[in-house]
Amino acid sequence: MMTLQEILEAVDELSVDEQTSLFNVLQLRLAKTTQSSSNGETFWAMTLRFRERIEREGIEFTDEDFADLRDRSPGREVEL
C-alpha cells in the first residue's frame, strides 16, 4: 500500500490531462459519498428531522442540562 506522500509524488509525475481526469474522478466519488451519507438531505432538513424526533420522543432540554458545561476560568495568563 502506498503512503500519502508516495501518492502525491505519483500524481506529480502525471501529465496535466491525467491530473485533471484524476481530479474529476475524485470529485465525482466525493459527491457520491457525501450524497449517500446524507441521502441528499440538506443540513436544514436533517435539523428539522432531529427536532421532530426530539418532540416525538418527549425529550426536553432545560438550563440545568447545560449548567456546568462552560469553563469559567479566566483563561491563560497574558503578559503585556
Side-chain angles (χ1 to χ4, degrees):
M1 178 172 264
M2 295 175 72
T3 66
L4 178 59
Q5 184 62 38
E6 291 170 334
I7 293 169
L8 293 174
E9 289 170 2
V11 169
D12 286 339
E13 294 174 8
L14 297 174
S15 70
V16 174
D17 288 340
E18 291 171 323
Q19 288 181 6
T20 302
S21 293
L22 177 60
F23 179 70
N24 291 335
V25 168
L26 291 173
Q27 275 187 313
L28 289 172
R29 287 197 179 185
L30 180 61
K32 285 180 183 177
T33 302
T34 304
Q35 187 177 28
S36 65
S37 67
S38 66
N39 296 325
E41 270 187 306
T42 63
F43 175 77
W44 184 246
M46 287 186 281
T47 302
L48 293 176
R49 191 166 44 88
F50 172 76
R51 288 180 178 176
E52 289 171 4
R53 185 172 180 180
I54 294 296
E55 287 178 18
R56 184 175 59 245
E57 294 184 15
I59 299 172
E60 294 182 14
F61 297 109
T62 65
D63 289 342
E64 291 175 9
D65 294 320
F66 302 98
D68 295 323
L69 292 179
R70 183 173 179 200
D71 179 8
R72 299 197 184 276
S73 68
R76 65 183 174 93
E77 189 174 318
V78 177
E79 294 181 29
L80 300 174

